[in-house]
């Protein structure tokens, strides 16, 4: 026969912020090791980072990466980004006119 516990079981409950932070951390890990993951997963991770990051530099870098991987998806993600070629012609940077989705605060 099964005995009842004398105390309620401890089940840690994560909040919505913890869940979002965990997904952002996981997406950053996928982007850090892109060679080991399929392009579709990298594109998905880039979209997560773009939608959740507060760092403007990370946002701009991820938009540039997403533009290289899937050029069709960038206008849907960021319509204010403008890609300018540098004087060298082989590198580019992103100039973002509007703040990041989360305010751009670091």
């Amino acid at each position: 026969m099964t005995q009842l516990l004398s105390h309620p079981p401890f089940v840690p409950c994560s909040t919505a912020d913890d869940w979002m932070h965990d997904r952002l951390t996981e997406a950053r890990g996928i982007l850090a090791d892109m060679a080991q993951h399929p392009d579709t997963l990298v594109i998905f991770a880039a979209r997560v980072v773009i939608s959740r990051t507060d760092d403007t530099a990370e946002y701009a870098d991820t938009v540039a990466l997403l533009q290289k991987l899937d050029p069709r998806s960038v206008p849907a993600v960021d319509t204010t980004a403008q890609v300018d070629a540098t004087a060298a012609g082989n590198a580019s940077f992103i100039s973002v006119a509007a703040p990041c989705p989360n305010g751009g605060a670091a």
Side-chain angles (χ1 to χ4, degrees):
M1 187 181 309
T2 306
Q3 281 190 309
L4 297 175
L5 294 174
S6 60
H7 55 81
F10 176 72
V11 178
C13 181
S14 64
T15 64
D17 291 337
D18 291 340
W19 183 86
M20 294 294 187
H21 180 64
D22 291 346
R23 297 297 72 78
L24 180 58
T25 302
E26 185 178 4
R28 286 174 175 154
I30 290 168
L31 294 180
D33 195 19
M34 290 180 1
Q36 301 299 320
H37 300 287
D39 286 348
T40 53
L41 183 59
V42 173
I43 290 168
F44 182 73
R47 289 179 181 165
V48 169
V49 170
I50 287 169
S51 67
R52 294 292 166 201
T53 189
D54 288 332
D55 183 8
T56 55
E58 181 181 34
Y59 179 83
D61 291 344
T62 308
V63 168
L65 173 68
L66 186 59
Q67 184 177 28
K68 287 180 175 39
L69 291 174
D70 188 16
R72 298 169 295 148
S73 66
V74 173
V77 171
D78 181 33
T79 59
T80 62
Q82 175 184 349
V83 178
D84 297 317
T86 60
N90 58 358
S92 64
F93 65 94
I94 298 289
S95 170
V96 180
C100 294
N102 292 335

